[in-house]
């Protein structure tokens, strides 16, 4: 097969976004995003854990510690007790408390609306920061690449195989080929596709709206 040109790849990537937008439209964030603080803690807790599991613990978590100031005064052990059903709960509890403490000490109790500042917070990487900026502040600086987005990007051949285990590189590949006006909806719409059709183990290619433009599609 001849190598796909960058222009053809860009056209195909835009068509992917167009079809998924047609199928799903605007998708609400799956986690508690009542305010930027709740959002940053919820996304921090969601690493290697389903959103549904996070949503089971956050009502009690935010009932007890609703603000950065309140959570900053909690102990990691107290937070761990509330979130112990989550994977890596001890580390996440420590990060949640330290994150709240830093928001209070360094940012006057307000979550910073800036990528460079957000990634300084304990437990917050670029993926989390992208979601917080996008959902919490309406600022689009990149694409949050989680396991679903990463898998779909590689199945679609929009990122080289050598980047399959490096979501930050996958993000850069997507940013290079997709015009900025498409970045906003990629994360939540592609997650919907990943949950509904493009499963990690058993993708249902026969039902996929992208099958005819996906090099990995197995029909029948």
């Amino acid at each position: 097969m001849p190598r796909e040109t960058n222009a053809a790849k860009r056209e195909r990537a835009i068509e992917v976004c167009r079809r998924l937008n047609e199928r799903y439209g605007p998708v609400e964030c799956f986690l508690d995003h009542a305010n930027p603080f709740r959002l940053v803690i919820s996304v921090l807790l969601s690493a290697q854990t389903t959103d549904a599991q996070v949503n089971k613990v956050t009502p009690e978590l935010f009932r007890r510690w609703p603000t950065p100031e309140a959570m900053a005064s909690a102990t990691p052990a107290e937070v761990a007790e509330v979130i112990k059903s989550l994977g890596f709960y001890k580390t996440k509890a420590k990060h949640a408390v330290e994150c709240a403490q830093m928001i209070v000490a360094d940012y006057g109790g307000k979550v910073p609306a800036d990528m460079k500042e957000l990634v300084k917070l304990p437990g917050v990487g670029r993926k989390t920061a992208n979601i917080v900026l996008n959902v919490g502040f309406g600022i689009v600086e990149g694409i949050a690449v989680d396991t679903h987005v990463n898998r779909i990007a590689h199945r679609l051949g929009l990122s080289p195989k050598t980047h399959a285990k490096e979501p930050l590189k996958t993000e850069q590949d997507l940013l290079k080929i997709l015009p900025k006006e498409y970045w906003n909806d990629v994360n939540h719409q592609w997650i919907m596709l990943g949950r509904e059709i493009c499963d990690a183990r058993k993708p249902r290619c026969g039902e996929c709206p992208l099958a005819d433009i996906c090099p990995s599609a197995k029909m029948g």
Side-chain angles (χ1 to χ4, degrees), residues 79-143:
V79 173
E81 187 59 30
V82 174
I83 66 165
K84 64 185 177 186
S85 60
L86 306 180
F88 307 102
Y89 71 95
K90 287 181 182 174
T91 302
K92 289 176 181 178
K94 182 171 176 284
H95 282 159
V97 172
E98 288 174 352
C99 182
Q101 287 171 343
M102 192 168 175
I103 290 168
V104 173
D106 296 358
Y107 303 104
K110 303 274 187 213
V111 174
D114 179 88
M115 176 65 77
K116 282 182 186 165
E117 300 305 317
L118 279 168
V119 295
K120 290 177 185 175
L121 297 173
V124 175
R126 189 175 162 90
K127 182 199 85 171
T128 298
N130 267 321
I131 293 172
V132 172
L133 285 174
N134 187 333
V135 177
F137 297 104
I139 297 169
V140 181
E141 271 197 26
I143 294 170

Side-chain angles (χ1 to χ4, degrees), residues 38 49 60 69 88 148 162:
R38 286 187 175 207
T49 304
E60 176 61 12
E69 291 78 6
F88 307 102
H148 292 291
T162 51

Side-chain angles (χ1 to χ4, degrees), residues 48-60:
Q48 294 176 288
T49 304
T50 67
D51 292 345
Q53 287 172 304
V54 174
N55 288 338
K56 284 178 186 169
V57 302
T58 46
E60 176 61 12

Side-chain angles (χ1 to χ4, degrees), residues 165-179:
K165 292 185 178 173
E166 298 188 73
L168 294 180
K169 288 186 179 177
T170 300
E171 181 194 0
Q172 293 308 312
D173 296 331
L174 292 175
L175 299 183
K176 279 177 200 158
I177 57 170
L178 275 173

